[in-house]
Amino acid sequence: MKRVFFIDDSGPPLGHMILALGAYWGGFDGNFVWNRIGAEYPGGVSVWSLRLLPALCGALCVPLVYLLTLELKFSHLSALGAALLLLLENALIVQSRFMLLESVLIFFVLLALFSYLRFYNAPNSSWSRYGWLLLSGVSCAAAVGVKYMAVFSYLLLVGVASVHTWNLIGDRALSVCVQCVCRVVCLVLVPVLLYVFWFYIHLSLLNRSGPHDQLMSSAFQASLQGGLSRITQGQPLEVAYGSQVTLRSSASQPVSCWLHSHKANYPIRYENGRGSSHQQQVTCYPFKDVNNWWIVKHPGRQDLVVDTPPRPVRHGDVIQLVHGMTSRFLNSHDVAAPMSPHAQEVSGYVDFNVSMLAQNLWRVDIPNREAESEVWKTILSEIRLVHVNTSAVLKLSGASLPDWGFHQLEVVAEKHLKSHSSSLGWTVEEHRYGTSQEQKEREAELHSPTLIDVDRKMSFWAKFVELQRKMLTMKQEVSEHKYSSAPFEWITMETNIAYWLHAATNAQIHLIGNPLSWGAAHLSLLAYQLLAAVYLLRRRRGFKDLPDGVWQQFVLLGCVCVGGWSVNFVPFLLMDRTLFLYHYLPALCHLYLLSPALLEHMYTHLLRGTHRRALSVCTSAVLLSIFLSYWTFCPLTYGTPELTANQLQALKWRNGWDILYRRR
């Protein structure tokens, strides 16, 4: 709402834009800060409009499940059963009633599956069915645009569509080429274009500097209003001999930082007994500071000012870097670095009249240089500084120095580097042409800002590619949380999440699923797998228990439901991040599709007479029990009515559930 740039590692920006749309409708100005769970909203915040779209998506999931069951060629009774299971799922109700994105994700995934099956089941002669195929592609793009986890559901749908397309090749009545092109356009090209479009809107709206700028490159930061752009506007583009520059590490981990030096030397001996050069420290400092300034010097000249006209530095040139405030040369030598003994120490050279000569020549290597020009450019060029004497490359190791290094980050020179790494790259962020030869005048010059009103833009595609790389490689900090849980704990619902607790009463809202429908869903998953194994073994032996049409229906049910559960659950087993119970809801919804359909399959094709009546009675009893379970947990789903401490204690069906109550 304030158009401030941000990055969210959970996924692309469409989900946040949907929430922002509700905020816009409600007149929200963005001035309320969600920095404390349970804080009361001020009167000016339209909570209703903020929660409208997630609630609407959650509600629409119920009829979608009904229609999806029909498209799987099961009866209206099974469709009603699937819709009821979803309708009586307490966890989905809770998740839909807050400003959260799981209900939006589930809605788009179900819509994509329904639209594709509607297209698949329509007559081949109907051209209007391609509207459903297009809607399926749009829904896939929307799902992936909400959370990256939807990529697995999208790949499942594309896989099913690929198998169906392969089966069409033998049908001579159809134009296979047209069929393939239509599917590729609707299910591949359209989702990709829409995915890019979500980011185009995102980057067009969020054009102001914010706290997440530091994660991006200097060129990206300079394209935003405020922040770095206020500093870099009007800077000279080409780095020349005599230029005054700050060098920002291309690595954003552990934090963004700038090449830095100060009037402090390495200790003569470290705590482990190793010795150092005792020369001036060179570090990487995560804050703007006058000690971040360096001067690009020609090795064959003494002056530190820019010529007229300026003589630009090019790829392959050998330079010296002089620290602006202390006049020490950037130096490296065959001395072990303090925290990384396998690498060389980097220092500001101090002549102690010992047999340690200056080794302060560096070769400028520009991997991303333009084909028509090899000039070192401000912000645009990512350079590597190669030490001439040893061929080591200037590198941010990321290690934090001890107290004597003021806990700044270690900079080293490392040899034998074969692959490109962001820790090797450096970008000129702030740049001016030096005009002062005397040290005192130069210090004053470095302290004074120079701003010229010139705008330099970064193309959308460059920003898009950089943002994709950053979102996909950014590591979420793994931390223990009171309500975090492991994926296998979701199956048995070992934990809950407390969402709201009234300040004075026992009224509260928890993310707790319907335990009985939860159990029934997982029993159906096990039953389908056992039944599928029996069918496959018997078919291998030559026994066809099911007609071909029914077998295809059974297989498609497994692809959509069991496959949908798998792609929304198994990836979490491989993730090294903090997980919560709500991450399981998309997978669970596929099991609610499976349960009634599997019962119908068993009723129609496996059971006879008395067994059918017994199954009907058991199913009715289970549905009644599921409704009673839903009703029992309603006070924790809606926050009303308030329960007594004893009633709340009775709802603690599992020891791992953290239900809070006050005794009076």
Side-chain angles (χ1 to χ4, degrees):
M1 297 306 297
K2 289 192 168 186
R3 306 187 70 174
V4 172
F5 174 76
F6 70 92
I7 290 182
D8 183 2
D9 65 340
S10 69
L14 181 62
H16 298 288
M17 289 193 285
I18 290 173
L19 296 180
L21 179 62
Y24 176 78
W25 286 343
F28 178 60
D29 57 8
N31 285 325
F32 179 75
V33 181
W34 282 272
N35 57 358
R36 184 170 62 86
I37 295 176
E40 291 189 7
Y41 290 105
V45 177
S46 177
V47 181
W48 183 86
S49 68
L50 287 166
R51 295 178 175 174
L52 172 64
L53 292 177
L56 183 62
C57 288
L60 290 176
C61 288
V62 177
L64 263 181
V65 164
Y66 183 93
L67 295 172
L68 185 52
T69 306
L70 295 181
E71 293 303 324
L72 287 169
K73 301 297 182 64
F74 289 93
S75 67
H76 285 273
L77 189 61
S78 292
L80 180 62
L84 283 174
L85 287 176
L86 203 67
L87 183 67
L88 300 177
E89 176 46 57
N90 301 70
L92 184 61
I93 295 172
V94 171
Q95 203 71 9
S96 302
R97 296 179 72 238
F98 289 95
M99 261 196 311
L100 302 169
L101 295 176
E102 272 63 36
S103 62
V104 182
L105 172 64
I106 294 169
F107 168 75
F108 283 126
V109 169
L110 293 177
L111 182 60
L113 289 170
F114 163 71
S115 302
Y116 174 75
L117 291 177
R118 189 67 179 266
F119 157 79
Y120 175 69
N121 292 327
N124 290 328
S125 58
S126 173
W127 282 96
S128 61
R129 72 191 190 117
Y130 288 100
W132 290 108
L133 185 64
L134 180 62
L135 178 59
S136 179
V138 171
S139 301
C140 287
V144 176
V146 172
K147 288 200 173 185
Y148 277 131
M149 272 302 299
V151 167
F152 300 106
S153 296
Y154 168 63
L155 293 177
L156 174 67
L157 189 147
V158 170
V160 172
S162 300
V163 173
H164 289 164
T165 306
W166 176 260
N167 293 334
L168 289 176
I169 293 179
D171 191 346
R172 296 186 176 182
L174 297 174
S175 173
V176 177
C177 183
V178 172
Q179 297 289 330
C180 292
V181 169
C182 289
R183 285 163 171 79
V184 169
V185 169
C186 292
L187 294 182
V188 178
L189 184 60
V190 168
V192 169
L193 292 177
L194 283 176
Y195 178 80
V196 174
F197 181 64
W198 308 145
F199 280 92
Y200 179 80
I201 298 174
H202 178 68
L203 293 172
S204 298
L205 290 175
L206 306 188
N207 58 359
R208 295 177 181 171
S209 176
H212 289 183
D213 293 10
Q214 298 295 323
L215 296 173
M216 310 306 294
S217 70
S218 299
F220 195 106
Q221 294 182 52
S223 69
L224 301 173
Q225 296 178 14
L228 183 61
S229 65
R230 293 182 301 174
I231 300 172
T232 59
Q233 281 182 352
Q235 291 186 150
L237 177 61
E238 296 183 347
V239 177
Y241 292 106
S243 287
Q244 299 170 354
V245 299
T246 62
L247 290 164
R248 180 179 185 264
S249 172
S250 299
S252 58
Q253 301 292 338
V255 292
S256 300
C257 61
W258 292 262
L259 190 65
H260 176 95
S261 189
H262 42 244
K263 291 182 178 180
N265 293 358
Y266 291 110
I268 297 176
R269 290 203 175 274
Y270 303 122
E271 292 180 355
N272 59 9
R274 286 192 298 112
S276 78
S277 67
H278 194 47
Q279 294 184 5
Q280 185 167 295
Q281 297 173 17
V282 172
T283 65
C284 205
Y285 189 51
F287 301 99
K288 300 283 187 180
D289 189 85
V290 71
N291 282 314
N292 297 345
W293 284 95
W294 297 82
I295 302 168
V296 180
K297 179 183 175 297
H298 191 288
R301 301 177 58 179
Q302 294 301 316
D303 53 320
L304 299 176
V305 296
V306 175
D307 294 337
T308 304
R311 181 184 171 190
V313 180
R314 302 179 185 277
H315 170 71
D317 285 355
V318 174
I319 65 169
Q320 293 173 309
L321 284 176
V322 182
H323 188 239
M325 298 302 292
T326 64
S327 298
R328 300 297 185 189
F329 285 79
L330 185 70
N331 186 81
S332 186
H333 38 220
D334 190 18
V335 176
M339 310 304 295
S340 308
H342 62 279
Q344 293 177 185
E345 176 191 87
V346 175
S347 64
Y349 182 72
V350 181
D351 187 1
F352 288 119
N353 292 319
V354 295
S355 57
M356 189 174 287
L357 300 176
Q359 299 181 37
N360 51 30
L361 298 179
W362 301 85
R363 188 177 69 252
V364 177
D365 181 52
I366 311 177
N368 68 335
R369 61 189 180 277
E370 299 173 359
E372 67 278 4
S373 173
E374 295 190 341
V375 174
W376 183 6
K377 294 183 178 180
T378 306
I379 290 177
L380 303 178
S381 297
E382 181 179 303
I383 70 160
R384 296 197 303 176
L385 291 171
V386 182
H387 191 234
V388 172
N389 298 79
T390 62
S391 298
V393 182
L394 190 72
K395 176 185 176 181
L396 170 67
S397 75
S400 180
L401 296 172
D403 292 341
W404 54 258
F406 311 103
H407 299 284
Q408 296 174 19
L409 299 179
E410 181 191 44
V411 173
V412 301
E414 190 166 333
K415 300 179 184 179
H416 312 302
L417 294 167
K418 297 180 181 179
S419 60
H420 177 75
S421 170
S422 60
S423 60
L424 304 175
W426 301 87
T427 303
V428 171
E429 190 170 270
E430 297 177 62
H431 176 210
R432 73 181 87 198
Y433 283 162
T435 59
S436 304
Q437 182 65 39
E438 297 297 326
Q439 178 66 18
K440 293 293 184 183
E441 295 176 0
R442 191 162 59 244
E443 289 181 12
E445 187 177 12
L446 293 174
H447 277 288
S448 62
T450 57
L451 301 180
I452 307 171
D453 190 15
V454 178
D455 189 22
R456 187 180 302 138
K457 294 187 179 294
M458 185 181 183
S459 71
F460 162 72
W461 288 108
K463 295 171 73 174
F464 172 77
V465 171
E466 179 179 339
L467 187 55
Q468 297 307 298
R469 187 170 64 248
K470 188 62 63 176
M471 293 177 68
L472 292 172
T473 58
M474 184 170 61
K475 292 183 179 180
Q476 185 194 53
E477 183 178 348
V478 180
S479 59
E480 287 294 326
H481 190 282
K482 182 178 181 180
Y483 296 112
S484 63
S485 52
F488 282 117
E489 294 177 335
W490 301 339
I491 296 176
T492 53
M493 209 179 350
E494 295 289 337
T495 59
N496 67 316
I497 304 176
Y499 276 179
W500 174 77
L501 175 66
H502 194 278
T505 70
N506 276 329
Q508 52 196 284
I509 295 176
H510 290 259
L511 185 73
I512 295 178
N514 186 324
L516 294 187
S517 62
W518 208 282
H522 291 96
L523 283 176
S524 67
L525 173 65
L526 180 61
Y528 181 92
Q529 292 171 322
L530 292 174
L531 193 57
V534 171
Y535 281 153
L536 288 171
L537 286 172
R538 288 180 59 80
R539 289 177 76 86
R540 184 65 178 167
R541 297 278 295 173
F543 299 103
K544 289 191 175 182
D545 301 295
L546 302 174
D548 288 342
V550 176
W551 172 248
Q552 291 175 6
Q553 180 195 37
F554 183 80
V555 171
L556 183 60
L557 176 67
C559 291
V560 172
C561 299
V562 179
W565 175 84
S566 301
V567 299
N568 284 283
F569 174 72
V570 174
F572 286 113
L573 299 175
L574 309 176
M575 291 185 184
D576 184 22
R577 57 176 295 178
T578 307
L579 300 172
F580 298 93
L581 182 64
Y582 56 74
H583 286 121
Y584 190 57
L585 291 179
L588 183 68
C589 289
H590 288 83
L591 296 187
Y592 287 155
L593 270 171
L594 175 67
S595 302
L598 185 61
L599 286 175
E600 180 182 334
H601 174 85
M602 295 170 62
Y603 182 90
T604 305
H605 302 288
L606 299 181
L607 302 179
R608 296 288 182 272
T610 306
H611 294 109
R612 285 186 171 183
R613 289 191 292 272
L615 180 63
S616 300
V617 171
C618 291
T619 302
S620 301
V622 169
L623 280 175
L624 179 61
S625 301
I626 288 173
F627 174 77
L628 293 176
S629 175
Y630 155 78
W631 189 259
T632 301
F633 285 95
C634 268
L636 299 183
T637 301
Y638 297 97
T640 183
E642 178 193 356
L643 301 180
T644 65
N646 290 334
Q647 289 173 320
L648 288 172
Q649 198 168 14
L651 290 180
K652 191 174 180 180
W653 287 14
R654 299 196 67 87
N655 293 329
W657 291 1
D658 185 24
I659 297 178
L660 311 171
Y661 52 88
R662 295 182 176 88
R663 295 191 179 275
R664 298 179 182 176

